[in-house]
Amino acid sequence: MTANPVLSRPASRRPLSWGTPLTYALALAVAAVSIAPIVYVIVGGFRTTPQIVADPAGLPDPWVWDNYARVLTQSDFWRQAFNSAVIALGTTLGVVVLGLCAAFVIARYTFRGREALNTFFTLGLLFPAGAAILPLYLMLRDLNLINSYYAVILPQVAFSLPITIVILRPFLSAIPRELEDAAAIDGADRLGFLWRIVLPLSRPALVTVGILAFVASWNAFLLPLLVLGDVNLHTLPLGVQNFSSQYTTDTAGVLAFTSLAMLPALLFFTLAEKQIVGGLQGAVKG
Amino acid sequence: MTSTDQTRFPAGGVSAPPAGLRPTARPSARRAQTRRKWYEIVGLTTPALVVYVTFVLVPMGFAFYYSLFRWRGVGPPTEYVGFKNYTLAFQDPIFLDALRNNAIVVFGSLLIQGPIALGVALLLNRRFRGRSTFRLLAFVPYVLAEVTVGIMWKLILTGDGTVDVLLRAVGLGGLVQAWLADLDVVIWTLLFVLTWKYVGFAIILLLAGLSNVPDELTEAAAIDGASWWQIQRHITLPLLGPTIRIWMFLSMIGSLQVFDVVWVTSVPAVRSLGASATMATYMVDNGFFARLWGYGNAVAVILFVISFVAALLFQRFLLRRDIEGAITRRAN
C-alpha cells in the first residue's frame, strides 16, 4: 500500500470535460451490451405470454402489470426475500465481527506465530469453496444443521474470512501508533483502543468487507441448494430457479419473477458502488 | 488495570522492550501483562479460527477420507476401495468432457475478458461527463446473481427466442442455433454468458488499478510528445501489471469452480451427456443427486487438487511479487 488508507485524501479533482463523439459512441455501446438483456427481461415482464410467443422481441402492447402483481401476491417471493435477508445479514455480521477481531490481533499485536497465523488464514484464499461442498453437506447433516439458517451462514462466514482478513490487516496496521499511545494515556487498554478508536476509524474498510460478504451471500446458490431442502427456507436464487422450472409455460411470469429478484441487487449496488470500488482500490494498489 | 502510566502499553506498542531498559516494570507485573496479552490474542482469534477450521479445512479432509470408499451416504463408510473412485472418474468420458469444458472456460475467460476489459477500462478512465454513469452500467451484470443471469439468458436464448428473431431480422438467420441444446454449441454459449457476466468484474479491478496510475506521469509523457497509444503502452500497462495478474488469478479459480450458470441454463440431458458439464456440476450430479458419495467426494478432491495446484503455480511464477507488494504487505 502506497497510501495510508486511514488518512488517504480524495484524488485531486479536476472538472470533467465533454468527451469526443467517439468516446460517447463506444461508451454507449458498452452500456447497451451490459444492460440490454436486463431491460429486455424487465420490459418483458410487462407483456403477456401470448404477446411474447407471437413476437419475442417486441414491446409491450398494452403494458400489463398483472405478472408483477401475481408474483408479489401469489408466489413465495416475499418469504424467499426474507430468508435471503436473514442469511445475508447474519453472514455479514459474522464476517465483520470475527474478521475484525482476528485481523486486529494479526495487525496490532506482536507475538510468536503471528506470521504463521496470517498465512494460515490467507491460505484459505486458495481453497476453492465449490470443492468443499459435498463434505460440507455431510458434516452439516451430522451436526443436525441441515434445513437451518446456520447451515448457510456458518460456512459462508468461514469462506469469507480469508479475504476479509487480507483486506482489513493493512488497514488496521496503518492506524498510526500515536493514536494507540494517546488512547493509552487516556486510560484505554488495547481492547478499549479497539472499541473506541479502531472501530470508528476502520468503518470504510469494514463497510467494504461487509458489502462483499453481503452480496456474495445474497447471490449464493450451490450451498443453499444442497442444505436448504425445506422450501420454507428457500432463498431468492433458489426461488428464481424453482419458479422458472415450475412455470415453464408462463414465460411472462418467469420474466417478472426474475426482474423482481434482480431489483434488490441492483438497488443495493447502485447505493454501494462507490464503496466497493474504493475498497478494491485499496486492495489492488501496487 | 487502573494505573495510567506508560508501562501498561509496552513502549513498542505491541512488544515489551528488554527488561533492563524499563526499571519501573517489575517482573511480576510484566508477567501479568504478557499473560493478559495472550488472553486477548487467544480470545479474539479463537472464534474466527474455530469457524474457519471447522467449515473450510475439516471438510476437505473428510472429502479425501470418504473418497476412498464406495459409500451411499448411509451409516459410516465401510467398503474401502482405495483409489478406485479416482481411476473411475478419469475413465468416465463425461468427466473428461467436464475437464475439457472447464479448460475452455478458464482459457476462454482469460483470452476474451482480458482484452475487452482493458479496452473498456481505458475508455472509461478518460475524463468525460457522464463517465460515472457509464461505469455503473458496465458493472451491472456483475452484481446480479448467477442464477438470475442464467435464467435470464435461458429465456432469451431458448426455443425460438429473442436472439434468433433478432438474427433473422438482420439477415443472419443462418446463424440460428439450438444455443443451449446443441451438444457442439452449448459450451460456447455458456462461455458467452459467463463473459457477459464477469467482464464487469475485470473492468472494476482494472479501473481501480488505473486510478492509482499517477496523472503526473502521463501528463509529463504527453508534454514530451508521447502519443496516447505510447502512453498506454509504456506507462499505463506496465503499472497495471499487478492488477491484471490478480484478476487472472481470481478469474482462473472462479472458472474452475463454475456451477450456477451452467446448472440453471443447460438442459439436464445435455449436461448428463457431458456437453455442458463442468467438474462442479458433475460432482453435484453424482455425489449429491445420485447419492454416490464416495465417488462424488473423489471428484471433489480432484477439483480441489486441480484448483490448488493451479493457484500455487500461478502464485509461484506470476503473482508472488504482487501478493507481497499489493495485498498482504504491511502498510507502514
Side-chain angles (χ1 to χ4, degrees):
Chain A
M1 300 255 162
T2 48
N4 179 331
V6 177
L7 305 172
S8 66
R9 55 190 166 66
S12 56
R13 298 230 172 266
R14 281 180 306 165
L16 295 175
S17 57
W18 292 99
T20 62
L22 180 66
T23 308
Y24 280 102
L26 289 172
L28 277 171
V30 170
V33 172
S34 299
I35 62 163
I38 299 170
V39 172
Y40 170 79
V41 169
I42 295 174
V43 172
F46 288 104
R47 310 173 74 202
T48 62
T49 302
Q51 279 180 28
I52 297 170
V53 172
D55 176 13
L59 281 172
D61 178 35
W63 290 66
V64 291
W65 290 87
D66 178 60
N67 302 310
Y68 286 99
R70 248 181 327 129
V71 168
L72 290 176
T73 54
Q74 290 166 26
S75 73
D76 300 323
F77 180 84
W78 291 109
R79 197 181 56 223
Q80 287 156 358
F82 174 79
N83 289 334
S84 283
V86 170
I87 289 173
L89 287 173
T91 301
T92 308
L93 188 72
V95 167
V96 168
V97 171
L98 298 191
L100 175 66
C101 289
F104 180 71
V105 167
I106 294 170
R108 309 290 306 189
Y109 286 70
T110 308
F111 58 97
R112 267 158 70 88
R114 179 173 80 161
E115 286 312 311
L117 186 66
N118 187 52
T119 309
F120 187 65
F121 274 118
T122 46
L123 203 65
L125 287 177
L126 303 179
F127 276 67
I133 208 80
L134 290 187
L136 197 55
Y137 168 84
L138 293 167
M139 198 174 75
L140 292 165
R141 194 184 66 178
D142 291 343
L143 294 171
N144 267 325
L145 286 173
I146 294 298
N147 284 327
S148 76
Y149 290 140
Y150 298 110
V152 185
I153 293 174
L154 289 170
Q156 282 181 349
V157 170
F159 276 97
S160 296
L161 278 175
I163 187 68
T164 302
I165 290 170
V166 164
I167 293 178
L168 286 182
R169 184 193 181 182
F171 201 93
L172 298 180
S173 297
I175 294 172
R177 156 92 347 98
E178 292 77 27
L179 283 177
E180 191 166 344
D181 294 342
I185 291 168
D186 289 346
D189 58 12
R190 221 181 273 131
L191 293 180
F193 169 65
L194 168 62
W195 182 251
R196 276 184 257 160
I197 301 194
V198 171
L199 198 61
L201 267 186
S202 49
R203 221 185 52 195
L206 293 178
V207 172
T208 299
V209 297
I211 289 172
L212 291 175
F214 188 92
V215 172
S217 170
W218 185 269
N219 289 342
F221 177 66
L222 178 51
L223 179 63
L225 175 72
L226 299 199
V227 302
L228 299 177
D230 181 353
V231 287
N232 290 314
L233 291 173
H234 275 188
T235 56
L236 220 36
L238 295 178
V240 177
Q241 153 83 344
N242 295 346
F243 195 93
S244 81
S245 51
Q246 204 174 341
Y247 301 97
T248 36
T249 52
D250 180 9
T251 310
V254 178
L255 287 168
F257 196 107
T258 310
S259 306
L260 287 168
M262 286 194 284
L263 274 187
L266 290 179
L267 283 177
F268 186 76
F269 180 66
T270 314
L271 297 175
E273 181 253 353
K274 286 231 156 45
Q275 189 70 42
I276 297 175
V277 175
L280 284 171
Q281 263 162 17
V284 299
K285 261 172 198 164
Chain B
M1 287 284 181
T2 51
S3 75
T4 54
D5 69 2
Q6 281 280 354
T7 59
R8 282 187 310 106
F9 266 35
V14 282
S15 67
L21 295 178
R22 291 213 326 212
T24 52
R26 290 216 300 279
S28 63
R30 249 198 0 263
R31 264 204 303 279
Q33 226 175 65
T34 310
R35 200 181 313 130
R36 188 189 156 98
K37 186 179 94 174
W38 280 105
Y39 284 151
E40 289 174 8
I41 290 171
V42 172
L44 288 172
T45 50
T46 301
L49 273 175
V50 167
V51 170
Y52 173 67
V53 170
T54 311
F55 295 101
V56 177
L57 303 184
V58 169
M60 282 320 305
F62 272 116
F64 181 69
Y65 174 71
Y66 292 140
S67 75
L68 302 175
F69 294 85
R70 179 177 296 142
W71 183 44
R72 305 286 290 183
V74 187
T78 49
E79 198 183 339
Y80 180 82
V81 294
F83 285 90
K84 196 161 166 230
N85 286 323
Y86 292 88
T87 49
L88 278 177
F90 283 105
Q91 283 162 10
D92 183 352
I94 296 167
F95 179 72
L96 297 177
D97 281 345
L99 274 179
R100 182 206 58 188
N101 289 340
N102 271 113
I104 290 177
V105 174
V106 168
F107 291 105
S109 298
L110 290 177
L111 296 176
I112 299 170
Q113 287 177 35
I116 295 178
L118 202 54
V120 174
L122 289 177
L123 173 76
L124 294 180
N125 197 43
R126 311 187 72 155
R127 297 172 171 276
F128 61 94
R129 275 174 214 265
R131 177 175 79 163
S132 55
T133 310
F134 284 114
R135 284 186 175 191
L136 197 64
L137 294 178
F139 303 159
V140 160
Y142 176 61
V143 273
L144 300 180
E146 291 199 355
V147 172
T148 324
V149 168
I151 301 281
M152 192 178 94
W153 279 102
K154 191 177 172 183
L155 290 166
I156 296 174
L157 289 165
T158 39
D160 209 17
T162 314
V163 167
D164 295 346
V165 171
L166 288 177
L167 282 176
R168 285 205 192 89
V170 296
L172 292 171
L175 291 178
V176 169
Q177 307 274 351
W179 301 103
L180 293 167
D182 186 319
L183 301 187
D184 295 326
V185 174
V186 59
I187 186 64
W188 304 103
T189 308
L190 290 171
L191 182 62
F192 166 80
V193 174
L194 289 168
T195 302
W196 179 82
K197 169 146 171 57
Y198 283 105
V199 76
F201 176 65
I203 296 172
I204 298 187
L205 273 182
L206 289 173
L207 279 172
L210 281 171
S211 73
N212 295 321
V213 175
D215 286 340
E216 295 77 20
L217 272 183
T218 53
E219 277 162 16
I223 290 169
D224 289 348
S227 71
W228 188 81
W229 277 115
Q230 283 174 325
I231 293 172
Q232 306 309 328
R233 170 75 189 77
H234 295 288
I235 297 175
T236 315
L237 278 183
L239 287 173
L240 268 184
T243 311
I244 293 173
R245 287 190 289 269
I246 287 171
W247 164 74
M248 286 171 71
F249 177 75
L250 296 173
S251 174
M252 181 185 74
I253 296 298
S255 299
L256 285 171
Q257 298 182 63
V258 61
F259 176 85
D260 302 9
V261 168
V262 180
W263 190 262
V264 299
T265 46
S266 67
V267 188
V270 171
R271 199 173 63 224
S272 64
L273 287 171
S276 66
T278 63
M279 282 189 281
T281 64
Y282 183 83
M283 174 183 83
V284 172
D285 269 329
N286 283 286
F288 188 80
F289 287 101
R291 305 207 169 276
L292 303 169
W293 285 102
Y295 188 62
N297 275 295
V299 178
V301 172
I302 296 171
L303 172 55
F304 168 77
V305 169
I306 291 176
S307 306
F308 197 72
V309 169
L312 283 181
L313 287 177
F314 195 87
Q315 222 183 2
R316 174 72 185 79
F317 291 109
L318 274 171
L319 202 60
R320 194 174 47 170
R321 255 180 337 149
D322 308 323
I323 293 275
E324 281 169 3
I327 289 189
T328 54
R329 194 179 67 202
R330 300 213 27 200
N332 45 3

